[in-house]
Amino acid sequence: MKTTLTFVLVAFAGFGLAAHSQAVAQEATMPYDPAYAAEVIRPGSVAQQPNPAPGNFQAQAPGATAQPVAQNHATGGDPLIDNGLWEGAPAELGCSICGDGNCAPAEWYTEQDVRILNRSRAGRAVISTDYNESDAAYEILNTHSVTPDISAAYGLTIGHHFARDTRNNDHFVEFSFWGLNDWSDSATVYGHRMTDTTTSPDTTHGSLNSMYYYVPGGSSLLGFNNADMQRIEYTSATNNFEVNGRFTSRNRADRLVLDPSGRWRKECRPGMHMTYLYGVRYLQINEGFRFHSESEIDTLDDDDVVTSEKHYTGDYDISTHNNLIGLQVGAEMMFHKCRWAWGVRSKIGPYVNFSDQVSDITSGRALDPGYIRRIAGSKHTASLIGEVGFETTYKFRPNLVGRAGYDFMWVTGVATAPGQLQFQPEPVNTVNSGSLAFFQGVTLGLEWLW
C-alpha cells in the first residue's frame, strides 16, 4: 500500500509538470508581444521609441535618429552599448540579470548553500525521579532534559529555463535538496545510596526510579529502578527533496539611455517582482532515543558490611522514521534594486506521512535479563508542511549572486522518538504520530547563472 501510494503521487506530479511544460512550450512559439520592448531615452527627450532592440542601434549626434547596425558577435553585444553596472559584460547578460528587461534570462542556474538550523524539542514526558533529604520524590529527568541544538545542513538547487509564454512569463524547472544534518544531545544524572531496613537482611541501593516504579508490576524492573546512574540520548536527522516548476513575469523593461558622449547605457528599473511555485516534495525525518539505567543492590550483615553485590541494567531504545510525500505551492515577493533585492517567500502543501517505530526494552542482569520486550508499528497519516522566510540577495557579478535568509518550517503529524515512550510492563504495538516539528535558521548561499 505504501509503495503504491508513493508511486501514484510521484506519477501524478510528474504528469502535471510534463503537461504544463508542453503547454507553455506551445505558447512560446506564438508571436512575441512588442509591448515589452526596452525603453529608449535620448538627451532632451522622454518619448519612447517603438520596439528598439538593445545592441542594434548606432549612436548619432544628440537629436539624430539612431540607425541599426550589425551585432558584434565576437564580444557578445554592440560595443557602443554600455552595460553601466557591469563593465565589459555582454548586453544580453546584463539586460536579463541586472534589471527586469525583456532579454531572456540565464538558461541554467545553481545555488549552493549552508543552512544553520535549530529544531524544536519533543513533547514533555517525565522519565525518572530522585529522593531528596526528606525522602520525597522529585522529578529529575524528562524528555526536555535533552535539547537538540543547532546543526548545519547542506543545500543544493539546480534549475533550467525552458520557455517563455505569450503573457511574458518565464518558466523554470528545478531540483532542490537540503539535509545531511543531524541533531543530538544527552543528559546524565547520578543518585545517592539509600538503605532499605524493611528487608531482611538490610540492603542498600540507588535513589533513582523510572516511571516504571509507579505502575502495577513495574517496580520489579530492577534495571530501571533503585538506580545509581541514568542517561538519556536523543538524535534526529532530516533530508529534503523537491522537484518544482516556477514561473515569473518580467517587469518593466530596462532603460536604454543615450549619453551625451554618444554611448548607450542600460539602467535597471527597480520594482516588485512575483514568482510562483508548484511541485512535489519528499521530506524524511529519522529519530532515535535511548534511556539507559544502571543499578547496584548490596546486601548487608548485622555489622552493615556488604556481603553480596548484584548489578542490574535497563535499556529502552527507540527508533522512528517519517517519510512525508505530497504536493506543494508557493510564492515569492521580491523588491529589486540594481544590486540588492529583498523580500518574503512561502510554501505550503498537504502530505501523507508513512511513519514507523521500533522499541527494544530490556531489564535485569547484564548476562541474564529477566525482562525483554520488542514493540513495533507503522501507520500513514495526513500531514501539513508550511514554510515562510525572509530573503535578501546581492549581485557580485551578473552571473554570481549572494543570498542570505531566515526561514521557519512547521511539520505536523510527526512520530518523534521520545513520543513513543510507554512505561507499562506490557506495552502495545502502536505509533504515536501526533507531534509537531518546528525548524528555524539562517541560510547563506551563492547562486551561479550561465
Side-chain angles (χ1 to χ4, degrees):
M1 176 64 182
K2 181 189 301 184
T3 303
T4 302
L5 184 56
T6 302
F7 175 78
V8 170
L9 286 173
V10 173
F12 175 78
F15 177 78
L17 284 172
H20 179 75
S21 300
Q22 183 178 5
V24 170
Q26 291 176 351
E27 280 191 351
T29 61
M30 299 179 182
Y32 169 61
D33 187 349
Y36 296 100
E39 177 183 354
V40 178
I41 300 179
R42 292 177 172 80
S45 172
V46 295
Q48 292 187 352
Q49 305 299 320
N51 305 335
N56 290 332
F57 286 87
Q58 173 71 51
Q60 305 291 332
T65 302
Q67 301 298 323
V69 298
Q71 279 278 354
N72 185 342
H73 297 286
T75 61
D78 194 322
L80 293 179
I81 291 183
D82 182 5
N83 290 282
L85 193 61
W86 313 117
E87 187 64 31
E92 294 85 349
L93 186 61
C95 176
S96 63
I97 299 177
C98 173
D100 299 312
N102 67 305
C103 298
E107 184 177 0
W108 290 92
Y109 60 91
T110 182
E111 181 179 350
Q112 311 276 329
D113 60 53
V114 175
R115 302 188 176 201
I116 311 299
L117 295 175
N118 173 268
R119 64 149 296 160
S120 59
R121 297 182 292 184
R124 188 178 182 279
V126 180
I127 295 176
S128 64
T129 62
D130 195 3
Y131 287 93
N132 58 24
E133 296 179 354
S134 302
D135 288 339
Y138 66 95
E139 179 183 318
I140 191 171
L141 269 184
N142 60 58
T143 51
H144 282 186
S145 300
V146 286
T147 304
D149 207 343
I150 62 173
S151 177
Y154 167 73
L156 169 68
T157 297
I158 299 176
H160 175 58
H161 173 257
F162 65 89
R164 179 185 185 188
D165 61 30
T166 56
R167 298 181 181 88
N168 204 41
N169 294 319
D170 288 309
H171 293 259
F172 306 83
V173 60
E174 67 181 27
F175 166 79
S176 297
F177 164 81
W178 63 264
L180 303 179
N181 61 324
D182 62 86
W183 295 266
S184 62
D185 194 19
S186 62
T188 304
V189 294
Y190 296 90
H192 57 275
R193 301 297 293 179
M194 300 180 64
T195 302
D196 186 354
T197 59
T198 62
T199 61
S200 181
D202 296 345
T203 59
T204 62
H205 53 78
S207 59
L208 304 176
N209 285 317
S210 72
M211 297 309 294
Y212 277 118
Y213 187 82
Y214 302 98
V215 299
S219 59
S220 62
L221 301 179
L222 297 178
F224 292 106
N225 301 316
N226 299 326
D228 298 282
M229 185 276 288
Q230 291 180 337
R231 177 182 177 86
I232 57 175
E233 301 173 0
Y234 184 26
T235 61
S236 180
T238 304
N239 290 296
N240 180 83
F241 303 84
E242 300 177 40
V243 177
N244 296 311
R246 286 181 178 270
F247 64 94
T248 179
S249 61
R250 298 188 186 183
N251 288 351
R252 296 177 299 170
D254 292 344
R255 291 178 183 269
L256 193 60
V257 180
L258 179 62
D259 283 339
S261 63
R263 292 183 63 88
W264 293 97
R265 173 172 54 85
K266 294 197 309 296
E267 287 185 352
C268 62
R269 306 275 301 267
M272 187 186 72
H273 207 170
M274 291 295 300
T275 300
Y276 302 94
L277 172 148
Y278 56 94
V280 61
R281 181 177 195 170
Y282 169 66
L283 176 64
Q284 183 182 63
I285 303 176
N286 297 331
E287 296 197 341
F289 188 85
R290 187 176 195 230
F291 174 36
H292 175 71
S293 179
E294 297 180 2
S295 173
E296 178 182 315
I297 299 179
D298 299 335
T299 302
L300 307 178
D301 61 15
D302 294 338
D303 297 323
D304 292 336
V305 176
V306 176
T307 58
S308 67
E309 299 177 357
K310 294 181 180 180
H311 298 271
Y312 300 89
T313 60
D315 288 290
Y316 199 145
D317 294 289
I318 304 172
S319 64
T320 62
H321 304 87
N322 297 270
N323 298 281
L324 297 97
I325 185 168
L327 306 176
Q328 66 177 355
V329 294
E332 181 181 88
M333 180 174 62
M334 298 293 291
F335 298 90
H336 287 264
K337 295 293 185 181
C338 290
R339 282 184 179 267
W340 289 95
W342 59 90
V344 61
R345 56 193 178 191
S346 62
K347 290 188 288 187
I348 193 170
Y351 293 80
V352 177
N353 182 13
F354 300 96
S355 58
D356 61 75
Q357 72 97 6
V358 177
S359 300
D360 291 297
I361 312 169
T362 60
S363 178
R365 296 196 176 187
L367 299 179
D368 185 24
Y371 180 88
I372 300 176
R373 294 290 187 278
R374 163 168 278 203
I375 54 177
S378 63
K379 64 189 300 186
H380 57 274
T381 56
S383 181
L384 181 73
I385 300 179
E387 282 190 61
V388 63
F390 304 94
E391 179 185 19
T392 183
T393 67
Y394 181 79
K395 295 184 177 70
F396 298 103
R397 294 292 299 165
N399 62 341
L400 185 63
V401 182
R403 294 183 179 274
Y406 198 94
D407 297 284
F408 306 87
M409 182 174 75
W410 295 264
V411 185
T412 67
V414 176
T416 62
Q420 313 308 313
L421 286 169
Q422 297 183 56
F423 289 107
Q424 300 288 337
E426 298 299 330
V428 296
N429 293 325
T430 186
V431 179
N432 178 11
S433 58
S435 298
L436 169 70
F438 172 67
F439 303 83
Q440 63 173 322
V442 176
T443 300
L444 302 173
L446 286 174
E447 183 179 19
W448 179 42
L449 307 95
W450 71 95

